[in-house]
Amino acid sequence: MNINDQIEAPFKLLISFNSVIEQYENLLDSQDESLAIRAKQVMTIAEENPILREGFSDPELINTYDNEISLLLKDAFSPILTKNEIKTASIPFQDFIFNSSERFKSIIETAGENFELKMQNIPEHDFYITACTAILNFRYGYNLNFKRPLYYKIPDGKGVLRTYKILYNADFTEIIKSENAPEITEADYYELLDNFENIELWKQKFPPESYVFKGFVISNIFDVTDDQSISNIKATLIRQDKRKDESFMNDFHEIFRSLLNVKDLEVGFSIYNKEEDTFERVYGAGMSSYLLDDLDVKECADALCEWSYDKLLKQNQYISISDVEASTKQNKSCAPHVKILHKQGIKSAIFAPIANDDELMGILELVSHKPRVLNSIVANKLVDVLPFIVSAVERSKDEEQNLVKAIIQKECTAIHDSVLWRFESEARRFIKNEMNGKEAVFNKISFNNVYPLYGQIDIQGSSDARNEATKLDLLQQLDLAKGILELALEKEPLPIYEQFLFQIEDYSKHLKTNFQVDSEQKIINFFNQDINPLLDHFKNDELIASAVDNYYLHINRSMNEVYEHRKDFDDTISSINKKMAALLDEKQIQAQAMYPHFFERYKTDGVEHNMYIGEAITREDSFNDIYLYNLRLWQLQVMCEMENAYYLMRHKLPVALDVASMILVFNRPLSISFRMDEKQFDVDGTYNARYEIVKKRVDKAKIKGTDERITQKGKLTIVYSHKQDEQEYLRYIGFLQNKQMLDTDVEIVELEDLQAVTGLKAIRVSILYSKDKKDEEFYTYEDLMTEISS
């Protein structure tokens, strides 16, 4: 057996005590008589056992010369300090120990029979190169620092894993150059500095066993569990996507168990919501809260007693319960947090505030199923780790806030992907100027020479339908109030009741014959000022109270009025908009894949969309008119599909409404810019403003010389102003007729003049519908209505 069998290294290892013997040799003539006597004893051992000076590689010889080695190392392993110091004598980077202090032996014994001592953080893959750097330092005098901290991980009597750092004392080592070892020049040294990963080059300069490592090292070992735990906490807290990582909380538990020396310790968190004064659950893999148990949220006043509330939330100081069982027995009406801990079988706990100078952000919860292991003394150890937890929570809050802003931007004021590059470029320029001390102004974002496309699917008669729903709700509420007052008048004939009944009849009459804009507000004021206060007066009369209860069954409590027909109307509008917007968004994915362009859509009484296409948006010299024509044809097809999708769902809606579709054609490129105040794009220039005017008014326009609206249910309307647009869209219509999406009844009409806009024309054509996606029969609007109602 040979200690060199298991390793490949640039040197051959020899266990030798030559350096120790040489030091004692120098003490033979010491004036200190005790030192001289000790030196003579060592020299006697060396002379009688020359192999101890020469060195050996057979580990069995350690047992043979055990007594002699102990005597040689007696001064290094002082009997007085042996129960306190953690020290070993060994071969470097190996777990082969041949002498140790009593403290080290006790630690290993406590770890258990099955424990196998193994050094941590050994650079296994880089061991050969590490050994070469040692030769460069010891033999050639270079100062290469390639040391890594080495550790032992050893469980204590409680099973808690403790960390011990190893510091080598290499005073008793020699590195001897063999005859076959190449001489290392300065040029070699510089070459090696730039080729750390080139193991073949290192082996060329330092062939295996071309040197001899003679001696041993003394390891001074220190318990650094607390320092390592704190370091591990920092490393764990900066990990990305902690909440999604199932190992995060497992690691966190182990770290705190080592830090506080509590084997069964568990860690929980709860968020503090200052606005609501509540504790809330932290969501994530393995996350728990022992204050909340199985609740998602709890008011702080219900979770803590008054004293604990003041201590944690106002003074930002920890609280500890060292014996939950005893606290429960001593006081049956004990504090809420003690009760919840007892319910979960927890015996001791510490709650520590996670707070910075500005606010309390949450609570760190440490619990154990053993009494008294967590207490106020142990809690003081948290002082060293809480700052890192606070920093992590602050960072997490900032990340969450950024995420919230991103979601709000996505859902409410999104910057479309097609133009996001321009905003990012301007933001980087803004930051650069700010960092360089220049005036930081966010410049105007604009795109020139882009072609607009606009379309809308509008809910026809929505204003009339809304007014009708409002009228029906008001009439119902008036009728309910009338029934209550008629009962009251029979029981107690007061003139005021008659006056109220007269008022109700008058309001009902006007609603049925002449509903006006202010009618709703007048009636609501009447209920708020006159009727509602009166209803409380009737609550003690059994007969009238029953009518009052029936009244309130029909009242929406948040609005304090009947909201039944209007709810049906609002639900219908919402369903239509949601369906149409979802279909448009889905189809947009395909359109963007054809050629990138700007797109936005918004909901009113229906769904409108804007698109802009051009080279300024794509940043590439790839734009061709063919992409504009393609997008126009895509828009026509999608409008037909949206109409079909709506009429397939119409019969399921609470209110039967119709829709009308329109497309506006603008054949010249224009400029658009982003308005920071309104968070949206708008056209630039006086001429381009004509496009916006038409967009806003054209759907209400009428056919010239008639009272007929240009938009009509069952038809697709295409508004334009140039003959070439007419020819282009007639070609598209012919294509869609062939696909049985449009009928053959094409008509071309002139529009009445709009403000500052003349000469507009429109193509109108009926849309063909099918009852479902698999249906091969196609219907006009009138045929579809007949088919659905039959």
Side-chain angles (χ1 to χ4, degrees):
M1 187 174 179
N2 190 302
I3 58 175
N4 295 289
D5 290 344
Q6 303 300 319
I7 63 168
E8 182 184 28
F11 44 58
K12 179 181 179 181
L13 289 169
L14 286 178
I15 301 172
S16 168
F17 301 93
N18 182 57
S19 296
V20 176
I21 294 168
E22 284 183 348
Q23 290 199 33
Y24 280 111
E25 198 170 21
N26 294 331
L27 295 174
L28 286 170
D29 298 326
S30 174
Q31 297 299 314
D32 187 326
E33 186 176 349
S34 62
L35 284 178
I37 292 171
R38 172 75 178 129
K40 287 177 183 178
Q41 290 175 341
V42 170
M43 293 311 298
T44 300
I45 294 171
E47 289 167 3
E48 292 176 356
N49 305 281
I51 194 171
L52 296 177
R53 186 191 281 267
E54 295 165 5
F56 55 89
S57 55
D58 183 358
E60 293 297 329
L61 294 178
I62 290 293
N63 296 325
T64 305
Y65 296 101
D66 182 51
N67 291 331
E68 289 80 2
I69 292 171
S70 295
L71 288 170
L72 288 176
L73 300 180
K74 184 178 179 181
D75 291 333
F77 290 82
S78 169
I80 297 175
L81 300 175
T82 189
K83 293 184 178 180
N84 184 274
E85 290 183 334
I86 311 173
K87 183 183 287 189
T88 66
S90 64
I91 298 170
F93 305 116
Q94 295 195 45
D95 298 312
F96 181 68
I97 295 169
F98 51 80
N99 203 70
S100 61
S101 66
E102 292 298 322
R103 173 82 183 280
F104 181 81
K105 292 176 183 176
S106 174
I107 290 171
I108 298 300
E109 184 179 345
T110 303
E113 293 181 6
N114 297 324
F115 175 72
E116 183 180 345
L117 186 68
K118 186 174 179 61
M119 202 174 292
Q120 307 288 317
N121 208 32
I122 294 180
E124 295 181 13
H125 302 295
D126 302 327
F127 175 74
Y128 197 100
I129 296 174
T130 304
C132 293
T133 61
I135 295 171
L136 286 170
N137 288 349
F138 281 90
R139 182 73 191 179
Y140 293 96
Y142 292 109
N143 186 23
L144 275 177
N145 184 8
F146 189 56
K147 294 179 180 178
R148 293 183 181 177
L150 301 176
Y151 299 95
Y152 286 131
K153 294 278 190 180
I154 307 173
D156 63 10
K158 299 176 182 178
V160 176
L161 206 61
R162 303 198 67 78
T163 303
Y164 297 89
K165 187 174 183 178
I166 304 164
L167 295 180
Y168 279 152
N169 180 341
D171 289 348
F172 307 111
T173 62
E174 305 171 70
I175 294 180
I176 303 165
K177 183 173 178 287
S178 301
E179 291 181 1
N180 65 333
E183 188 66 32
I184 302 298
T185 65
E186 190 172 30
D188 293 328
Y189 171 69
Y190 290 143
E191 185 180 5
L192 291 167
L193 287 180
D194 292 327
N195 289 278
F196 175 80
E197 302 294 337
N198 190 346
I199 184 67
E200 296 304 321
L201 178 64
W202 287 89
K203 287 184 177 180
Q204 177 188 330
K205 306 295 184 185
F206 301 93
E209 297 193 354
S210 56
Y211 291 79
V212 174
F213 179 94
K214 189 177 180 181
F216 65 96
V217 293
I218 290 180
S219 300
N220 292 290
I221 304 170
F222 303 91
D223 188 338
V224 292
T225 303
D226 290 0
D227 294 339
Q228 187 64 32
S229 296
I230 293 170
S231 177
N232 289 341
I233 285 172
K234 289 192 284 184
T236 304
L237 288 172
I238 63 175
R239 187 188 304 172
Q240 294 294 320
D241 292 328
K242 296 183 286 293
R243 293 189 189 182
K244 298 178 183 178
D245 188 351
E246 292 185 5
S247 67
F248 170 73
M249 284 307 295
N250 291 333
D251 293 346
F252 220 57
H253 287 136
E254 289 300 328
I255 292 165
F256 270 93
R257 286 165 188 165
S258 295
L259 177 67
L260 302 181
N261 200 25
V262 178
K263 175 62 178 175
D264 73 334
L265 182 142
E266 302 289 336
V267 183
F269 295 94
S270 51
I271 297 172
Y272 175 60
N273 185 327
K274 184 177 180 180
E275 288 71 25
E276 302 292 336
D277 196 30
T278 57
F279 291 127
E280 299 174 1
R281 181 176 298 280
V282 179
Y283 289 99
M287 296 281 188
S288 300
S289 172
Y290 301 96
L291 265 176
L292 296 173
D293 192 12
D294 55 355
L295 297 177
D296 291 331
V297 62
K298 193 173 188 178
E299 291 188 9
C300 298
D302 294 335
L304 301 167
C305 66
E306 185 176 348
W307 178 86
S308 300
Y309 181 100
D310 184 74
K311 191 96 167 176
L312 267 176
L313 275 64
K314 294 184 178 179
Q315 300 179 38
N316 287 345
Q317 296 180 9
Y318 68 81
I319 61 172
S320 63
I321 308 97
S322 63
D323 195 332
V324 173
E325 189 74 27
S327 297
T328 306
K329 289 179 179 178
Q330 288 172 8
N331 190 351
K332 291 185 179 179
S333 59
C334 60
H337 58 284
V338 176
K339 286 183 179 178
I340 200 72
L341 291 174
H342 186 262
K343 175 189 171 187
Q344 298 169 80
I346 293 165
K347 304 299 184 184
S348 59
I350 295 170
F351 297 127
I354 303 171
N356 56 21
D357 293 336
D358 299 322
E359 61 179 339
L360 174 70
M361 295 175 287
I363 303 295
L364 170 68
E365 308 166 1
L366 305 177
V367 302
S368 172
H369 292 277
K370 291 184 179 179
R372 293 177 292 279
V373 295
L374 294 175
N375 50 63
S376 62
I377 297 173
V378 171
N380 276 287
K381 297 188 75 172
L382 297 175
V383 172
D384 295 322
V385 299
L386 276 172
F388 304 115
I389 296 175
V390 169
S391 296
V393 173
E394 287 174 334
R395 186 169 60 252
S396 181
K397 283 190 70 175
D398 289 341
E399 290 170 355
E400 188 170 57
Q401 187 62 32
N402 290 337
L403 181 60
V404 168
K405 288 180 180 178
I407 291 172
I408 291 172
Q409 185 185 47
K410 179 181 178 182
E411 297 298 328
C412 305
T413 57
I415 303 300
H416 193 260
D417 289 345
S418 62
V419 294
L420 182 60
W421 64 271
R422 182 67 183 84
F423 287 84
E424 290 176 342
S425 175
E426 183 58 29
R428 292 189 188 99
R429 188 200 62 79
F430 181 94
I431 294 169
K432 181 180 177 182
N433 285 346
E434 193 173 48
M435 295 293 288
N436 291 332
K438 298 179 182 179
E439 184 180 6
V441 178
F442 203 92
N443 290 335
K444 180 180 178 181
I445 304 291
S446 60
F447 298 92
N448 301 321
N449 295 318
V450 294
Y451 289 90
L453 295 92
Y454 171 79
Q456 69 172 37
I457 183 164
D458 184 51
I459 300 172
Q460 285 207 315
S462 58
S463 296
D464 291 340
R466 182 182 286 106
N467 289 341
E468 182 64 20
T470 302
K471 182 174 75 173
L472 291 173
D473 280 342
L474 292 175
L475 284 170
Q476 183 178 354
Q477 189 167 354
L478 287 168
D479 192 54
L480 290 167
K482 179 182 176 182
I484 295 171
L485 286 165
E486 285 175 343
L487 287 173
L489 188 62
E490 287 180 14
K491 181 125 187 188
E492 192 177 10
L494 298 179
I496 190 65
Y497 296 161
E498 291 186 66
Q499 194 272 323
F500 286 155
L501 283 168
F502 168 78
Q503 194 73 49
I504 288 172
E505 290 289 346
D506 189 54
Y507 281 136
S508 298
K509 178 181 176 182
H510 280 86
L511 280 174
K512 293 173 182 177
T513 59
N514 187 27
F515 181 83
Q516 296 179 344
V517 176
D518 63 344
S519 298
E520 179 181 3
Q521 193 57 52
K522 285 181 179 178
I523 294 172
I524 294 304
N525 289 340
F526 167 65
F527 273 96
N528 289 336
Q529 294 170 13
D530 298 324
I531 301 300
N532 292 340
L534 190 62
L535 297 180
D536 288 337
H537 174 66
F538 299 136
K539 65 183 179 181
N540 294 323
D541 186 294
E542 186 175 342
L543 181 62
I544 303 177
S546 177
V548 172
D549 289 340
N550 181 55
Y551 171 87
Y552 279 121
L553 282 175
H554 293 82
I555 294 295
N556 180 287
R557 289 306 178 98
S558 63
M559 301 176 67
N560 205 27
E561 51 189 279
V562 172
Y563 178 64
E564 294 179 3
H565 296 87
R566 279 173 292 176
K567 184 178 186 303
D568 287 342
F569 174 81
D570 289 342
D571 288 347
T572 299
I573 297 294
S574 177
S575 297
I576 295 172
N577 286 345
K578 186 176 180 180
K579 177 68 175 180
M580 297 300 98
L583 178 58
L584 191 56
D585 289 346
E586 180 186 342
K587 296 295 181 181
Q588 249 295 298
I589 297 172
Q590 302 169 6
Q592 289 292 340
M594 297 174 191
Y595 193 83
H597 57 277
F598 176 83
F599 169 80
E600 65 179 356
R601 57 117 178 113
Y602 37 96
K603 304 171 185 175
T604 51
D605 281 356
V607 176
E608 302 175 47
H609 66 270
N610 282 319
M611 294 185 288
Y612 298 100
I613 187 169
E615 196 168 295
I617 290 174
T618 58
R619 292 183 293 173
E620 298 176 4
D621 186 16
S622 61
F623 179 72
N624 187 285
D625 287 349
I626 193 67
Y627 296 116
L628 171 62
Y629 303 149
N630 183 72
L631 194 59
R632 285 174 172 173
L633 179 57
W634 170 89
Q635 185 185 35
L636 281 173
Q637 293 184 92
V638 170
M639 296 298 287
C640 292
E641 290 181 37
M642 290 170 70
E643 283 257 358
N644 261 277
Y646 169 64
Y647 282 107
L648 284 175
M649 67 180 287
R650 183 178 185 265
H651 67 284
K652 301 176 184 177
L653 299 174
V655 180
L657 298 172
D658 285 304
V659 298
S661 297
M662 184 204 72
I663 286 172
L664 174 62
V665 182
F666 198 78
N667 71 339
R668 293 186 183 181
L670 44 73
S671 297
I672 59 172
S673 61
F674 189 77
R675 295 188 58 172
M676 295 295 180
D677 53 344
E678 296 183 7
K679 297 291 186 290
Q680 67 179 28
F681 277 96
D682 206 349
V683 297
D684 275 344
T686 305
Y687 175 78
N688 294 336
R690 180 174 180 266
Y691 172 71
E692 289 294 331
I693 292 171
V694 176
K695 255 174 49 175
K696 292 174 181 176
R697 298 176 181 172
V698 69
D699 66 318
K700 303 292 191 298
K702 297 178 180 179
I703 295 175
K704 200 167 190 176
T706 73
D707 286 329
E708 183 183 344
R709 286 266 296 269
I710 187 63
T711 55
Q712 195 176 90
K713 61 187 178 185
K715 291 182 179 289
L716 176 61
T717 302
I718 304 164
V719 178
Y720 62 95
S721 58
H722 291 80
K723 186 67 177 178
Q724 64 191 63
D725 299 329
E726 179 183 300
Q727 294 171 347
E728 178 185 343
Y729 274 85
L730 285 174
R731 291 198 301 271
Y732 299 153
I733 289 170
F735 172 70
L736 297 180
Q737 286 171 336
N738 184 61
K739 293 184 71 174
Q740 292 185 292
M741 298 179 78
L742 295 174
D743 205 352
T744 57
D745 59 338
V746 177
E747 58 177 330
I748 297 173
V749 297
E750 290 186 35
L751 273 66
E752 65 180 9
D753 293 341
L754 302 177
Q755 181 181 348
V757 180
T758 60
L760 291 177
K761 300 176 73 175
I763 301 172
R764 293 201 307 186
V765 57
S766 294
I767 299 167
L768 292 179
Y769 303 92
S770 57
K771 287 190 292 184
D772 56 60
K773 291 182 179 179
K774 296 179 181 179
D775 192 0
E776 295 184 359
E777 290 189 64
F778 297 89
Y779 306 82
T780 64
Y781 172 81
E782 288 76 14
D783 293 338
L784 181 68
M785 294 298 105
T786 302
E787 185 71 22
I788 289 173
S789 58
S790 63

